[in-house]
Amino acid sequence: MKILDKYLLKTFLITFTTVFVILFFIFILQTVWLFISELAGKDLDLILVVKFLLFSMPRIIPLVLPLSVLLASIMTFGDLAENYEFAAMKSSGISLQRSMRSLIVFIFFLSIVAFWFANNVIPYAEYKFVNFRKNIAQAKPAMAIAEGQFNDVGFYNIKVNKKSGENGNILTGVTIHEKATNNGENKTVIKAKNGKLISNEKSSILKLVLNDGYYYQDVTPKKYEDRAKLPFVKAAFNKHIINIDLSELNKVDTENENINGTSSMLNVNELRYTLDSLSKNFDNEVVSFSENINQRTGVSKPYSPYKTEKKKASLPKNLLSLYGNKKKSEILNAAISNVTNTIYSIESTQKDLKEKQRDINKHLTALYEKFVIAFACFLMFFIGAPLGAIIRKGGLGLPIVFAVLIFITFHFINTFGKRLSQEGGMTPFMGAWMSSFILLPLAVLLTYRATNDNGLINFDLITTPIQKVFQKISEKFFPSQNP
């Protein structure tokens, strides 16, 4: 039996390693394509590009690892079944579960490694990746500006005709459009013959020193009829300095690039500590707001009918009848203003609390995802191994079709569940584990059918009832034709 275990383990490891390397390379190319705008045409040296790719590689593992286990399992067991090696094992009294024993041990250790990787390596790499993108301009400030085109840099659109110097920080033919705060119009234009970029690793400010240029600024006249003349102010300068905040360069768009803020940069212990603080702050804010609203109403104690029954009986039904018209107007205006302010305060606080709850849900989802990736390895193995034994096809044909369909379903449900849980549509636990819970019955069903040699689908269960129905109809309407 040890020989058989070694043979199965060796076959699976070779297939798994090959599939993992190929898929990893494909996903790396996808990452390069996603961030091609940050890499192409910006004079980045090889070291910066390699660092960029190294920091982005670990985030690919949660996608590549389960898919590799699934595809390797289908290919390995499909090839064994296709070559009748499973038939030989079963004739010797070796069941499917027994043949999977050594691989189950391997998947168990692989799941532990996957959890450790998701808990330690990915958060560190995500932290380095995000900060590397934010600070890449500090290491090479000229990378933010490409020649011959306008570059969106913070509050400026900058165009240079040519870059020179060791780090490309000497600029020639500089044109700058300063972004306006209203209507999106360019109100200020700066042109200079040359300039120089100066940065400091200890400072977050990038200096752009311009030499020998002009400063144009539009002027909006007070009279409307004079605006058609488009007046402007022009000033010449020998030296002009513009300070640019480096945080505006390579700014990370967390919504479009699936970077969930700081939640993806924390391990399990840090997530639990952060969740405890966020939950306490959320509860304290709810209590504080409720007390504030209660004080606004002027009701210091809850209403008690036993203490105020006599006083209430002595008051008229219409309290406003006690006052004159002027006083009535003041009271009603004050009441309307109080209600309006209270509603506005409730709506704004509700929006703020919703954002904080979304942040809590993101951290909870990030916590559960670290365990999901470990369970996903087990799940994909128990789907792929029996499925390969059933379809009895190895190689890269039919197994890839089944693997892609199953993994796309898993990934789609997982993404849908996470997004829905972050918006409060379901609990973060269900959102993170929904894909696993949905595909778990499929794993159980495939393992059961592969163990009993029932095939992928038992067509007799579908065709037999239909045949019986047609047989009864034939006997009823055509009795003479039946023997």
Side-chain angles (χ1 to χ4, degrees):
M1 295 303 294
K2 291 183 179 180
I3 297 176
L4 178 61
D5 292 334
K6 289 181 180 179
Y7 172 71
L8 291 175
L9 185 61
K10 179 182 178 181
T11 304
F12 181 82
L13 285 176
I14 293 174
T15 307
F16 173 77
T17 304
T18 304
V19 170
F20 182 84
V21 172
I22 294 174
L23 292 177
F24 193 80
F25 179 73
I26 293 173
F27 278 90
I28 283 294
L29 292 180
Q30 182 192 22
T31 302
V32 174
W33 179 257
L34 288 175
F35 299 104
I36 191 68
S37 61
E38 297 185 22
L39 300 175
K42 294 188 176 180
D43 298 333
L44 291 176
D45 54 27
L46 182 61
I47 296 177
L48 291 178
V49 174
V50 170
K51 284 184 177 180
F52 188 93
L53 294 177
L54 285 176
F55 292 149
S56 63
M57 283 181 182
R59 59 161 51 194
I60 303 173
I61 299 299
L63 291 175
V64 176
L65 189 60
L67 181 58
S68 300
V69 172
L70 176 63
L71 186 56
S73 301
I74 297 177
M75 292 174 62
T76 301
F77 284 82
D79 188 63
L80 293 174
E82 186 178 15
N83 296 327
Y84 299 101
E85 293 178 272
F86 263 134
M89 286 188 289
K90 289 181 179 179
S91 64
S92 303
I94 302 173
S95 63
L96 177 65
Q97 289 85 347
R98 176 61 188 85
S99 62
M100 293 168 58
R101 183 181 299 177
S102 60
L103 298 181
I104 291 174
V105 175
F106 170 74
I107 295 298
F108 175 75
F109 285 105
L110 183 65
S111 300
I112 295 177
V113 173
F115 173 78
W116 175 84
F117 195 87
N119 188 45
N120 296 280
V121 179
I122 293 180
Y124 175 77
E126 195 71 18
Y127 171 79
K128 298 292 290 185
F129 178 72
V130 173
N131 282 276
F132 180 77
R133 289 182 61 201
K134 286 184 177 180
N135 300 327
I136 193 171
Q138 193 166 354
K140 193 177 181 65
M143 59 79 58
I145 303 174
E147 294 181 354
Q149 65 184 38
F150 278 99
N151 303 269
D152 190 0
V153 182
F155 298 103
Y156 304 95
N157 285 318
I158 303 176
K159 177 183 176 182
V160 298
N161 295 333
K162 186 179 179 180
K163 294 191 299 183
S164 58
E166 183 179 356
N167 296 320
N169 60 333
I170 305 299
L171 311 178
T172 305
V174 183
T175 303
I176 300 176
H177 290 175
E178 186 176 347
K179 297 179 182 178
T181 56
N182 56 348
N183 299 327
E185 299 177 357
N186 291 318
K187 297 291 185 179
T188 303
V189 179
I190 303 174
K191 295 181 68 68
K193 289 185 178 180
N194 56 71
K196 184 178 182 181
L197 290 170
I198 302 175
S199 64
N200 189 345
E201 294 182 359
K202 297 182 180 179
S203 175
S204 60
I205 301 299
L206 175 67
K207 287 186 178 181
L208 175 56
V209 181
L210 302 176
N211 302 314
D212 194 9
Y214 293 91
Y215 187 96
Y216 305 88
Q217 186 174 17
D218 293 343
V219 177
T220 304
K222 294 182 179 180
K223 294 182 179 180
Y224 183 79
E225 56 272 15
D226 293 337
R227 296 182 182 180
K229 299 178 182 179
L230 302 176
F232 65 91
V233 175
K234 177 182 177 181
F237 60 84
N238 294 325
K239 184 177 182 181
H240 181 66
I241 299 176
I242 297 177
N243 294 321
I244 302 174
D245 189 358
L246 287 176
S247 61
E248 297 295 330
L249 298 177
N250 292 303
K251 194 172 183 179
V252 179
D253 189 355
T254 58
E255 294 295 329
N256 295 331
E257 296 169 10
N258 299 322
I259 302 175
N260 296 325
T262 59
S263 60
S264 58
M265 307 177 196
L266 306 176
N267 57 32
V268 171
N269 294 329
E270 293 170 342
L271 282 170
R272 287 175 176 172
Y273 178 81
T274 305
L275 282 168
D276 184 63
S277 300
L278 292 175
S279 299
K280 287 182 179 179
N281 292 335
F282 183 85
D283 295 337
N284 292 335
E285 186 167 345
V286 171
V287 172
S288 176
F289 178 72
S290 61
E291 292 177 352
N292 187 22
I293 290 295
N294 187 42
Q295 291 177 359
R296 286 188 180 185
T297 59
V299 180
S300 58
K301 295 181 180 180
Y303 170 73
S304 177
Y306 302 101
K307 296 181 180 181
T308 61
E309 185 175 359
K310 294 182 179 179
K311 295 182 179 180
K312 183 179 179 181
S314 62
L315 294 175
K317 293 182 179 180
N318 187 5
L319 295 177
L320 291 176
S321 62
L322 300 176
Y323 303 96
N325 292 332
K326 184 177 180 180
K327 192 65 176 177
K328 286 181 183 180
S329 177
E330 294 177 357
I331 293 174
L332 291 174
N333 290 333
I336 293 173
S337 177
N338 189 20
V339 171
T340 303
N341 292 335
T342 302
I343 293 174
Y344 176 78
S345 178
I346 291 174
E347 290 177 350
S348 60
T349 304
Q350 185 180 16
K351 184 178 179 180
D352 183 56
L353 291 176
K354 187 177 181 180
E355 290 295 329
K356 291 187 176 182
Q357 185 62 53
R358 185 182 290 112
D359 191 29
I360 293 175
N361 292 339
K362 286 183 179 180
H363 283 77
L364 283 171
T365 303
L367 175 64
Y368 296 135
E369 278 183 339
K370 299 184 185 304
F371 299 92
V372 170
I373 183 178
F375 182 77
C377 295
F378 261 107
L379 181 65
M380 293 302 167
F381 175 75
F382 280 99
I383 291 177
L387 183 60
I390 291 173
I391 63 177
R392 298 178 182 179
K393 288 290 182 180
L396 296 174
L398 193 60
I400 290 183
V401 176
F402 279 101
V404 170
L405 290 176
I406 294 172
F407 184 76
I408 287 177
T409 303
F410 175 82
H411 185 62
F412 174 79
I413 297 173
N414 189 35
T415 304
F416 175 77
K418 288 191 295 184
R419 293 293 177 88
L420 193 62
S421 64
Q422 289 175 6
E423 298 299 327
M426 63 172 60
T427 61
F429 178 82
M430 283 301 301
W433 286 93
M434 185 169 63
S435 56
S436 300
F437 290 157
I438 291 177
L439 292 182
L440 182 61
L442 176 63
V444 175
L445 176 63
L446 290 175
T447 304
Y448 173 78
R449 300 193 70 84
T451 303
N452 295 278
D453 292 327
N454 290 332
L456 183 60
I457 300 176
N458 190 353
F459 290 99
D460 292 337
L461 295 175
I462 301 175
T463 58
T464 302
I466 297 176
Q467 290 177 356
K468 290 181 178 180
V469 171
F470 278 103
Q471 185 176 359
K472 289 181 180 180
I473 294 174
S474 177
E475 291 174 355
K476 184 176 181 179
F477 292 99
F478 307 99
S480 60
Q481 297 181 6
N482 294 307

